[in-house]
Amino acid sequence: MDGHHQREQGGAVAEADEATVRRAVTGAALGNAMEWFDFAVYSYLITSITAAIFPEFDPTVRLLSGFAVLAVPFVVRPFGGIVLGPLGDRFGRKRVLATTILLMSGSTVAIGLIPSYATIGVAAPILLVLARLVQGFSTGGEYGGAATFMAEYSPTRRRGFFGSFLEFGTLGGYVLGAGLATVFQLTLSEQDMVSWGWRIPFLLAAPLGLIGFYLRNRLDDTPAFQQCEQAGAVTSAPFKEVIANNWRQILNLMGIVVLLNVADYTLLTYMPTYLTQVLDIDATEALLLIIGVMVVLMLCMAPVGALSDRIGRKPLLITAAVGFLVLSYPAITVIGTGGVLGVAGGLLVLGLLLLCILATIGSTFPAMFATRNRYGAFSIGYSVSTALFGGTAPFVITALIASTGSTTVPAYYLMGAAVVAIIPILVMPETAQVPIHTHPTVVPGTNRRVPVTAR
């Protein structure tokens, strides 16, 4: 265990040393990488998956069915946040995060093992939906916990830098999944892809999950949670307290997450289908363009996170919101030209705006809540907003394009999300350089004050 790396100072657990922080960051980021690895594989191979799992439909109906299954986990994601998040405040971040990564990787592997519709009939799509429901429940407690784990291990002055690796994991998982999908599509025939090729990337989730589980289990719980335990300030009624004490901050977080998730899922999950099905761009060309943009964002992630430590989180977040409001329509219009340079340029504009959010949220959101209720409040707000506006984005955009015939629908959707996010960003407190577990708070039901909050 690595608890010996945490120095005792005046009875409180001090900041962990950098080697321990790096292990904590890696273990937390792997869970997010796992989630987005699955989304990338599913969205890039959706044609092959639906051909194997669903009965014969009109191509558009089959595609909508596939996207509906993509959105299914978001129905139960809030329940995962409501159940697992408060448990992380009651029993510790480490225990819950070890559970979520096993559930996520196990259900991803299960998808790769589902027999085809030709073999077991309607049971095939039913099993797919069940596996996706398990994924949704586990991810409801994963993201808030992973962000909390990173933030509570990170030193205050570098929380933006280390927190940015949460979304580095997002893009890393996505690039790995999309890259594997591209390789399989280039090397296998369409018949082989439908028969067995699409399954292989899902099965590779097993070693990724085991590595993440191992890294998380090697560490003690976070210094902030240990400090909370030592002070006798761990909550005994986590869900009730979360809602009573944090509902304003939760609503604020939800407003910002609307833009984050609409942009994230539009760019990463829906765009491959938009380029190939709506704009008739060659599938391989579309895959490579999006992967290229994601690699650029990965290279910029840590520097932008470090920048937020210097200039604050709010300037970057408001830049993203105003940028999406002003630039989404021009970017989608340029992408709509179908030329390589136009598509690459439009994707890069949207990607860089998204980067301003991705690089800062891992350090911003955890600092909005007290240690005592942080995991639960973050998880509930994030998972509810994501359920409503994240995974549903590809389905909604596909349906709107089909009904209106307009190829600029994604731009209007992004602009609407930006309008929603601007006010929450403006009213939120600046959290850069604010220690997340050094200020005192009163334990409910007592007059005792303990240093466990993030105010």
Side-chain angles (χ1 to χ4, degrees):
M1 306 296 287
D2 291 296
H4 63 280
H5 290 293
Q6 297 157 358
R7 302 177 303 280
E8 296 289 335
Q9 293 182 355
V13 180
E15 290 179 343
D17 64 76
E18 184 153 327
T20 304
V21 172
R22 291 184 182 278
R23 284 194 290 274
V25 167
T26 302
L30 272 174
N32 217 36
M34 174 74 62
E35 177 187 354
W36 281 91
F37 174 84
D38 167 75
F39 274 110
V41 170
Y42 191 96
S43 58
Y44 275 75
L45 299 181
I46 191 168
T47 302
S48 299
I49 295 169
T50 54
I53 299 297
F54 290 92
E56 285 291 340
F57 285 137
D58 172 87
T60 301
V61 175
R62 179 178 267 181
L63 185 61
L64 284 171
S65 299
F67 277 132
V69 174
L70 181 69
V72 157
F74 296 89
V75 175
V76 296
R77 188 164 183 159
F79 297 100
I82 289 168
V83 173
L84 297 173
L87 287 178
D89 288 325
R90 178 69 181 88
F91 299 107
R93 289 67 164 115
K94 173 184 170 179
R95 292 183 186 179
V96 176
L97 284 172
T99 302
T100 58
I101 200 165
L102 289 179
L103 286 173
M104 287 168 59
S105 57
S107 54
T108 301
V109 170
I111 290 175
L113 298 174
I114 296 173
S116 67
Y117 182 86
T119 303
I120 61 171
V122 72
I126 290 174
L127 289 173
L128 178 61
V129 169
L130 289 175
R132 300 288 292 161
L133 287 172
V134 174
Q135 286 178 325
F137 182 82
S138 58
T139 54
E142 167 65 30
Y143 189 88
T148 295
F149 200 75
M150 280 187 176
E152 291 183 349
Y153 256 111
S154 299
T156 298
R157 62 187 176 81
R158 302 186 69 196
R159 194 166 65 239
F161 170 76
F162 284 114
S164 69
F165 284 94
L166 182 67
E167 294 297 335
F168 184 91
T170 291
L171 297 180
Y174 185 90
V175 168
L176 178 60
L180 281 173
T182 303
V183 169
F184 277 84
Q185 287 181 328
L186 289 174
T187 56
L188 296 177
S189 67
E190 183 178 345
Q191 182 179 350
D192 285 341
M193 282 299 300
V194 173
S195 177
W196 57 270
W198 66 269
R199 302 176 183 278
I200 306 301
F202 287 101
L203 299 179
L204 293 177
L208 292 176
L210 291 174
I211 292 170
F213 178 77
Y214 171 75
L215 288 173
R216 291 178 178 186
N217 255 6
R218 284 191 62 205
L219 292 158
D220 284 334
D221 223 316
T222 67
F225 184 78
Q226 289 187 53
Q227 187 180 16
C228 201
E229 279 190 312
Q230 292 167 3
V234 173
T235 179
S236 58
F239 179 73
K240 179 180 178 181
E241 259 189 47
V242 161
I243 303 303
N245 298 344
N246 301 276
W247 64 269
R248 290 183 181 85
Q249 297 97 309
I250 290 173
L251 290 176
N252 209 44
L253 180 149
M254 289 175 65
I256 302 170
V257 172
V258 169
L259 176 57
L260 162 66
N261 278 302
V262 167
D264 220 3
Y265 286 86
T266 298
L267 188 61
L268 300 188
T269 305
Y270 174 69
M271 200 51 65
T273 301
Y274 180 75
L275 295 180
T276 56
Q277 302 293 323
V278 178
L279 302 181
D280 293 322
I281 294 174
D282 177 74
T284 302
E285 180 181 308
L287 293 173
L288 294 176
L289 283 170
I290 295 176
I291 290 173
V293 171
M294 296 304 104
V295 170
V296 171
L297 300 192
M298 289 178 68
L299 294 175
C300 297
M301 187 70 68
V304 174
L307 177 65
S308 77
D309 286 325
R310 295 194 296 273
I311 69 171
R313 325 297 188 206
K314 290 182 69 172
L316 290 170
L317 291 172
I318 199 64
T319 296
V322 173
F324 274 115
L325 181 60
V326 174
L327 298 176
S328 290
Y329 187 84
I332 293 295
T333 301
V334 170
I335 290 172
T337 63
V340 174
L341 291 180
V343 173
L347 289 175
L348 190 59
V349 168
L350 296 177
L352 292 175
L353 292 173
L354 177 59
L355 175 66
C356 292
I357 307 176
L358 295 180
T360 57
I361 55 173
S363 53
T364 301
F365 291 160
M368 293 171 66
F369 305 102
T371 300
R372 182 181 174 93
N373 302 128
R374 180 173 295 129
Y375 195 156
F378 188 142
S379 295
I380 290 170
Y382 187 90
S383 61
V384 169
S385 189
T386 301
L388 295 174
F389 302 102
T392 57
F395 182 85
V396 171
I397 293 173
T398 300
L400 287 174
I401 290 176
S403 63
T404 66
S406 173
T407 59
T408 56
V409 164
Y412 295 117
Y413 208 56
L414 288 166
M415 293 164 68
V419 170
V420 171
I422 286 175
I423 292 178
I425 293 171
L426 289 174
V427 302
M428 67 170 279
E430 176 58 69
T431 60
Q433 304 303 322
V434 177
I436 65 170
H437 54 85
T438 58
H439 295 187
T441 188
V442 176
V443 179
T446 76
N447 292 317
R448 188 156 43 88
R449 293 170 69 82
V450 291
V452 294
T453 72
R455 295 288 180 260

